[in-house]
Structures are given as C-alpha cells and as structure tokens.
Amino acid sequence: MSQDFRLDNVGMVNREKKISFKFNGKKYFGFEGDTIASALIANGVHLVGRSFKYHRPRGFFGVGVDEPYAILQLDRNNERDPNIRATEQEIFEGLEVKSVNCWPSVNFDIGAINNFLKMFFPAGFYYKTFMWPPSFWYKIYEPFIRMAAGFGEASIKHDKERYEHKYEYCDLLITGSGPSGLASAYAAAKNGARVILAEDKPRFGGSLLTSDVNIGNQTGVEWTEKIIAELKSMPNVTVKNRSQVFGYYDHNMLVMSERISDHLPKTQKYLPKQRLWYIRANEVLISSGSIERPLVFGNNDTPGVMLSSAAKEYMKVYGVLVGKKPLIFTNNDSGYETAIEFKKNGVNPIILDTRSDPSSDIIAEAKNLNIEIKFSHVVVAAKGYKKVKSADIAKISDDKKKLFNIENIECDCICVSGFWTPSIHLASQSGNKSKFNEKIDAFVPDKSKQQENTIGSANGIFTLEETIKDAFDKGFDVSNKITEKNNKISVPTIVEKKSTDHDKFWCVPLPKGKSYKRFLDFQNDVAVSDIELALREGFRSIEHVKRYTTLGMATDQGKTSNLNGLQLVSDIENKVVPQVGHTTFRPPYTPVSIGAIVGREVGKHSKPTRKSPMHSWHEKNNAVFVDAGVWLRPRYYKQGNEGLFEASKREAKNVRQNVGVCDVTTLGKIDVKGPDAAEFLNRVYTNAWLKLPVGKARYGVMLREDGIVMDDGTTTRISENHYHMTTTTAQAANVLSHLEYYLQLVWPELNVNVVSTTEQWAGAAIAGPNSRKLLMKLFPNLDVSNEGLPFMGYKEADLFGVPAKIYRISFSGELAYEINVESDNGYFMWEKIMEVGKEFQIQPYGTEALSTLRIEMGHVAGSELDGRTIPYDASLEGLVSKKKDFIGKRSLNRSAFTSTDREKLVGVVPIDKTTSIPEGSYIVKDPKAKLPNPKLGHVSASCWSVEYDNPFSLAIIKDGKNMIGQKLFAMSPLKNKTIPVEIVSSHYVDPEGKRVRS
Amino acid sequence: MLYINCPHCGLRSQNEFAYGGDATVKRPELNKEISDQEWDNFVYLRKSPRGKHLELWHHISGCRQWIKVERDTSTHEIFKTYKANEAIE
Ligand SMILES: [Zn+2]
C-alpha cells in the first residue's frame, strides 16, 4: 500500500530512510521518525482496535501520551510487549504490532455484539451483570470477560532485556521541553544551576514544533534547536528525550523512565532497554503542558474523530494528513490553526464554531484564506462505522439547548477542539491542592506543597509571550536561590497571533428521538448516559462516580475524559466544577513497564547470590545446592545414582563412623571488642559470661525483649577484650542490628564495638570419631589432645603456612572442630582437609546430613527457634541465669511463659519404625476425634536416624516434659497420613553428651 | 522516598535506612523491680500519633548508626534529626 496520505516535503521525518513494518500481519511502509500512528495514518489505516466494553471500532484520537484508543501489542526481538501506544512507539525496520481486545480480528470482532447488547452494559455493569448465580462466575463469566477484554497479553516468558536504575541529583528538574521548559532550563542553566531537562517525546520543543510563532526572529523549531544545542554543550545540564517523569514522591524525589532502546529493532550491546531514574531535585519546574479537551457529540468515538491539535501535529511533524475532507469542530481558536494548516497543504476544511460571532487574528487569517466557517454550528453525530463517512451537523440556539436545520455533510475526519486542560498530574502528586480557574474551565496547581512550581500551559498560561517571560523568571528565581550567581539573561521578543475567548459549551444535546452514544471516556467506554444513570442511582461523590462507571480509570488515566466528566456531573447536579472537585491523581502518569520498575533486582532472591570460597570445589564434586538465606550451600554431594535420601544418609553415617567435613562459612560472625565486652555479652545472652576465660568458647542464647528466643551460637574469648561471636546464617544481619541498638541507644556507657566479620572467614567443620586424628595431621605442631584442646577450647595455629583458628565446638554431637581461615585461604584449607583426611575416610557432608545429625542429637535450630518459642519450649532453660538480668528476662515471668504445661521439645519415633513423619504434622491423642481435633503440638523437624536406622523427629508439644513414653498420633492432613508414634526424649543419640567431650 | 539527614553522613535516601519505631520509649533499667504493666508498656504499647513523631532509624547501608528523626507521620516532613545520644530539643 502506498502512503496516500503523506504530504510532500512537509514534516520532520527522515524521507531518506524508508522503513517497513507489519500491522496485523500486513506490511506497510513509513519513514524513520514516524510513530506507528503516523505511519498507519499515512497509509490510510484508521481502524486499529476495538473498545473495551462494546468492542466498537477504534482509531486514533491523539498524538501522544493522552491516546486512549490506539493501544497495540508489539513483538520485538522475540519479546512481547503489551499496552504500547501507537502514538508514542516509533517504527523500526521489521517492527510487528497487532490489535488487541478483538477476536478473531479487528475487522470482524465477535465482541462487537456487545454493542447491540448495550442495555446489558450500563454503568456499574461489573457490579450488576455478572453477579448471579455465583457459580457462574468462575466457569462462565470470568473466562468470557478474560477472552473478550483486555489490552494485550503479557508474555509468560522470562524477559531477557536488561533494565537499569539510576540515582541522580540536581538543582532543578524540568519536566517537559515545550516553550516554558526550554526557557526555564536555559535561564537556570545560564545562572549556573545543575539542570535536568526531560522530554517524553523523541523531539524537543513541545508546542513549538507545531505553532506558527516567532521567537527572537526565529521560528519555534529554530529556536528550540538552538536552545537544545546550547544546553547540551553545557556541563551543568543533562538533556534527555524519550524520558517521561511519571511520578512525584516525597521529599522531591521524582521518577523518570527513559526509553533507551524501544525505538530500535534490538537493544544494543552494553545498553539497557529502559532506564529508571530516581531523581532527587532541589527544585522542580513542571512544564508538562496541556492536553486538548474533546467536544462531546453523538458517536464521537468513530475512527476519524480526533483532537484538532493531533491532526495539526500529524501534518506538521510527520507530514501526514488525517483526512482529505476535514471537518473542524471547535469552541475556541485552536481549531482554526488546524484548519489553516490543512488549507496551506491544499485541503479544504470546514470549520464549525460553537461561538456565534468571535473575532481574532487567527479567525481573520482563516477568513482571508477563504476557509468555510459556520458559526453557531455543532456536530450532532458522526456517521460511519469503521471510519467517519459524514456528519450530521446543526445550527445551535444561543442558549445551546436547541438544534436547528440538521443536515448531513460529507467528511472523512472530524477534528475537535474543546479548549485545553493543563496537565497538573505531577503537581497534584506532589501534594499540591489544585484550584479551579474559571477563565479556562480547568484546574491549575495552587500553592506549592513541595519544592515545585508549575509553568507554561500546565499552569493555565496559554499565550507564548507570557509563558516564556514567566518561565525565564521562574528559571532564574529558583536557580538563584541555589547558585546566587545573579546571572539573568534577557527575554527574546515574541511574535504570535492573538486569540480570543473560548466558548464554555462542550456537550451537544441529543436531537429529538435519537439515542446516540456520546462518549466521555474513550478507553473505558463511559458515555454521558452512564454518568447520568450513576447519578440517578444515587452516587454523588466524584470518587464514587468514578469507580462505579470506571470513568478515567483506564490506562490513559482519563487524560482526555476527566474534565468533561466533572463538567457533566456539575451540570446535572446544578453545581460548579470546583464544588464537585476532582479525583486524585496518582503515579504513574503514563504506564511504566514492570521490567523498568524491577531493574536489576531479578533472579533468585532479587539479589546477588552469595557463595563461599569453597563453592567451586563443591560444584566440581557434584554438590546439589540449597538456598540458605541469600547463600547457596551444598545440600548433599551426589554419588552415582543417589538421591537426597541415600546421599544424606551416607554422609551422616560417615560422620558418626569416621569423619566428615562441612562448609560452615555462611554462619554469621561478629567481632565484639572493648573493655566492657564481657559485661555486654552478659546482658545480651541468657547465661553467664563474666567468667569465661581467654581461649574458651561458650554456647549462648539471646532473647528479644518479649522473651522469645532470637538466636543462638557460640562465642569465643579470643583475648581479654576481644570476642568472636557466631550467629545462625539466617539471623546474622538482625543480630548485628540488635547489638548496635543496645550499644548505641540503651547502654552507650559500655565501651564496646561490634563489626560483622562473616565474609572475612571461611569455615570448615570437621566432625566424627576420626576428627582428632585428622587434626593432628593438619596441625602436627599443636597439642590437640583432650587436655591440650578440650571441648569448647580455642587455639590459633598454622595450617601449612596459613594462619588458622581452631574452635572445638560441635553441632553434630560428635567430637568436632571448626577451622577458620581468612576467606582467601578457604579453598586451600578445604583441599588440605580432603587430602589429609583421605586416610581417615573423610567425606564432605551437606546441610541435609547436618540436619540429620543435629536432629537426632536434639539440638535446636531455626525450625524450633521459630519466633514463637521461649527458652523453656526449646529445652534451653538450663542456659537461663537466675542470678543476673539480661535482655528479655523480665518477659519470662509473664504468666503464660511460666505455665507448667507449656509446649516443650520432645522426640518422636513412629511405632512401626519405618514410616517417616512429615514435618509440620500435628501431634494428637485421638486421630478419630471430632474436628477440629485438639492438637498437642507440631513436628518441627524430621530425619532418618543414622544411629538407629529408623525415622526420628523433633516436636514441640503441650506438657512435653510429662509426655515421654506416651503413645500418640502424628497427623498430616496435607499428606493425608496418620502415624502412630511414641514420644521419647529429644536427646535420641548420646544423651549424656560423652562424644563431644571424648 | 524520604530524604533523611543522617547526622553522621548527611542527606541520604530512605532505602539506606531501616525503621526502628518510637524513639521516646525508654528501656527499664537492668535489675530493677517493675510491674507487669510497666514492662508491657515498654515491650508492647506504642502510640501511633498523627503528626510529629520522634522515631528511630538505623543507617543500615551507611554508617550503621541508630539515629533519631523527628517526622510528621502524615506529611512526612522531617523537622530534625539527632545522633543516638544527642539531647532532644
Ligand atoms: Zn549515617
């Protein structure tokens, strides 16, 4: 198809570069610099979608962010992007887009039957139509709505594109590069301020690209180019196009999304697709401009009805005619500018002006050009289904209530202008309460709430001269507050055509006997009749009307519908608009892709994965890894066809029989130093710490103030005033914050410092009856006898030339040692242990074997210290000092915590000695009791005891200490299992603890 | 996102901090006999005022100091920030 609607030598697209793209599978051509919208219009294509509710044909209504109709789905480089506005997306070679919300095709849409069933889709139809019977919702209504509605389909694939976040600071952020944005940026930059100027579109200049003005003897376009070039050359200025500031948050934090690669066929190497900027600005100038308001008349949603400013921009920027027989329907002078532009390009428009006898420079010019103008005339209804073919027009009475002489005239587009609505979204998001400006029938920002000012047409200033003067002043004023350079530059002379007042009329009455739909919200299909119905049904608050009718709730956030909706409500209610008020503007101003919001926080945990220095050794030796917080730890080392169960059993057994080695690098480590360190530990832990000698470790339990166990671990006195604390992997960060809290806020008089050393040390636990023999070979010069290095002893020694720390501590319940070396030496240490350990049948063991070993020993871990247990519950009460005070002690006196039948840790063995008990099972007395079956407690951890070769579990059950020997049942409704069990001591293996001391 | 003036580091964004609750709560002294009610007040009971609130923030991704911030809970305006042991005006 040729570009029949492309003008020769007009516009800013690159005629040298022809670009082919596909729309709904059909190939078209456009030029570099075209949007999908401009390229399709150039090809005479206006039907691009179907409306949300009635599936009425949809064309193009605007030319930018305000577009309510032309939302498409894009396929780019094997990625799918839904919710693309055709008016914003630039074309590139090979681009493929398709229509959404239509099935099977945009030309023949089954959902369009809704259009004939519209009595079933009145305001609030979501609340009325699909309610009964309830059983229909799940099977019939929801699938139907899902199939027939929605703006595109999100991809379920992992998005391979890269998105970045950037943090930026500036003196002044300016949101929009129209005349006010450019002028203020220039004034502020010349005054030495650090400026960021953000423009949503690819081209800078805003309205200067399309208006017939003169600034300092240059056209608007020339002036824009000159200012932008100069700003770009200044080191204190950042100029960004394709960048939408979409959110204004607390303390002058604004967020901007920069579309870096969306206009290219493929994202370039080393560049992201999009970048999200978090900008902390000292001052903000909101220069987001204004959006033309529609006029409301019958079938005003027909493709070919569009904003007159959009028609003008398609001509001036893209060299594209939206029609060859245009009808201009206006209540102000803006429509004339569009008509003049048509005329200049050899097309004869007809102007319908709702005003009876206006006069201004622009109107005079239109008259001079012999443009046909019909005053006191309106469009009653557009005719044509998939495209405007003609229009019923009429003369309207002075009171705007009666229509005369309805006649049909041929046209192929209707360009409407109902005056301008300032884009106050950002100001409103900042907390600025807006005020109603009677002169322009729209809201403008009121007093600044944060460090923000609104300038130009966003502030309701519609003449260029005033806009630029004010913007120069504001740019200077806000920059001078910061720079104090007093470098004020002079304002250029401005020539523009004067315009006259607009007509407040905006909605054409229905002619007798006609029931045309007159749309307010084009994306959500909300018509005048819907609002009328909502008000008849008793909705009054504009917030309620909005939610009930969905007015302004579509992805365009009512950019074109808002004010007309308010106007209608106030007309019916006999109020004025400010009494009705407006709904709240919330970020984002335009849709933002989820990828941009997420940025680099993708993948597992949305954080970088932490690995121990021995990680690559584990990988090489068939380790299967498991997440431990943000760490990866070997769960087991696979041999042959082993699964988790076989491997962990083999590993655990080897620890009990020979010796095993486990990577314990992930344990939290904190250095506690200072003359008051002992006193501090004595307050933090429940047990006594004042008398721990140098070179000795002690197991400790710490509580929260509410008496719940927070964490446990061993702490070693390295020297007089230096302790090495260990925490569980999961609680490491919380414990550090906890210690800092008490040192800084509660007991600042204590002279103690704490610092995390988790990453500084690589740790290997060697456990099993052969561990001492292994240690002797690793440290031949060290006395590692039971006397030389007793249980809970600590030594520093040399490991083949590497300094090492040896702690005789045990989690497995076996004779065990933990060796720490500096992280860089971790791999070396591990290899040495494996090499030397060979003759003692050493095997590495993972977290699963580690769990088995600790469970059958009755050692508690995270599954027992689950944020609900006090020391008694976890059988740690022996560690609670009665003599001294410590964090959380007072809570242990609370009556619930001293109750004698509290839940307590016990062991659980299945009677048949073969059935494993699922973790989380309930312990009950009678499995057949009436539901809800009173539960005695729950199973916290299960393993296969390698010592006895049968299943063993830990459970925390009511009155646990008196339950030993009882026959009960473990029930798992999830696994549908009921297992007869016997309650035994939690210390299943070596209850006297002989092995660790051997 | 709040902009918090850490008395040690200067203005930093909220995402460097962790919230720590009411800064006016004082922990009862160690080894002091107190009633259940007093202890409950300390552990559990907090006011949730609308308006000025002195609260703790931990500069967790910065200097790791706990600081006190006087903030309006409805407008998020921050009036003043203090070091942990600084006297409150
Ligand atoms: Zn700090």
Side-chain angles (χ1 to χ4, degrees), chain B residues 6-10 12 17 59 62-65 67:
Chain B
C6 173
H8 308 280
C9 310
R12 299 298 172 96
F17 294 84
H59 197 185
C63 61
R64 293 212 60 99
Q65 295 298 302
I67 61 168

Side-chain angles (χ1 to χ4, degrees), chain A residues 732-742, chain B residues 18 58 60 64 66:
Chain A
N734 290 343
V735 170
L736 184 65
S737 289
H738 178 76
L739 300 181
E740 286 166 335
Y741 176 89
Y742 284 94
Chain B
H58 191 195
I60 206 154
R64 293 212 60 99
W66 286 87

Side-chain angles (χ1 to χ4, degrees), chain A residues 636-810:
Chain A
Y636 62 98
Y637 299 81
K638 194 179 168 75
Q639 287 186 4
N641 292 327
E642 280 178 345
L644 167 69
F645 180 70
E646 296 80 22
S648 60
K649 220 163 105 175
R650 167 182 52 74
E651 291 169 7
K653 216 170 184 167
N654 191 58
V655 172
R656 294 270 184 251
Q657 287 172 355
N658 302 304
V659 61
V661 58
C662 182
D663 187 344
V664 292
T665 302
T666 62
L667 279 187
K669 305 172 199 75
I670 298 168
D671 251 10
V672 183
K673 281 186 176 174
D676 297 321
E679 172 62 26
F680 180 54
L681 293 174
N682 208 43
R683 297 178 184 186
V684 166
Y685 283 125
T686 59
N687 47 343
W689 282 80
L690 295 178
K691 288 178 186 149
L692 180 73
V694 172
K696 277 288 208 178
R698 184 164 286 175
Y699 176 69
V701 174
M702 58 178 82
L703 308 186
R704 312 190 303 220
E705 291 287 18
D706 62 3
I708 301 291
V709 178
M710 179 176 184
D711 199 44
D712 68 338
T714 56
T715 291
T716 307
R717 191 166 200 172
I718 305 289
S719 65
E720 181 64 23
N721 294 329
H722 178 192
Y723 291 79
H724 171 80
M725 174 186 279
T726 66
T727 72
T728 58
T729 302
Q731 289 292 327
N734 290 343
V735 170
L736 184 65
S737 289
H738 178 76
L739 300 181
E740 286 166 335
Y741 176 89
Y742 284 94
L743 285 173
Q744 294 170 24
L745 290 159
V746 185
W747 303 310
E749 68 278 10
L750 292 184
N751 190 352
V752 179
N753 269 303
V754 290
V755 68
S756 166
T757 57
T758 301
E759 281 86 358
Q760 273 63 40
W761 301 104
I766 54 174
N770 288 343
S771 56
R772 181 175 291 125
K773 284 184 235 163
L774 170 59
L775 206 67
M776 282 164 69
K777 292 241 167 170
L778 287 170
F779 302 97
N781 300 325
L782 189 70
D783 176 11
V784 297
S785 68
N786 206 16
E787 295 73 39
L789 181 54
F791 181 53
M792 289 299 196
Y794 164 77
K795 281 264 153 71
E796 289 171 17
D798 176 280
L799 177 74
F800 302 100
V802 164
K805 295 171 177 258
I806 309 159
Y807 306 87
R808 187 172 162 189
I809 52 178
S810 176

Side-chain angles (χ1 to χ4, degrees), chain A residues 616-625 634-640 642 647 650-651:
Chain A
S616 59
W617 189 95
H618 306 321
E619 275 178 330
K620 274 182 266 178
N621 289 275
N622 298 323
V624 175
F625 292 93
R635 191 170 187 196
Y636 62 98
Y637 299 81
K638 194 179 168 75
Q639 287 186 4
E642 280 178 345
R650 167 182 52 74
E651 291 169 7

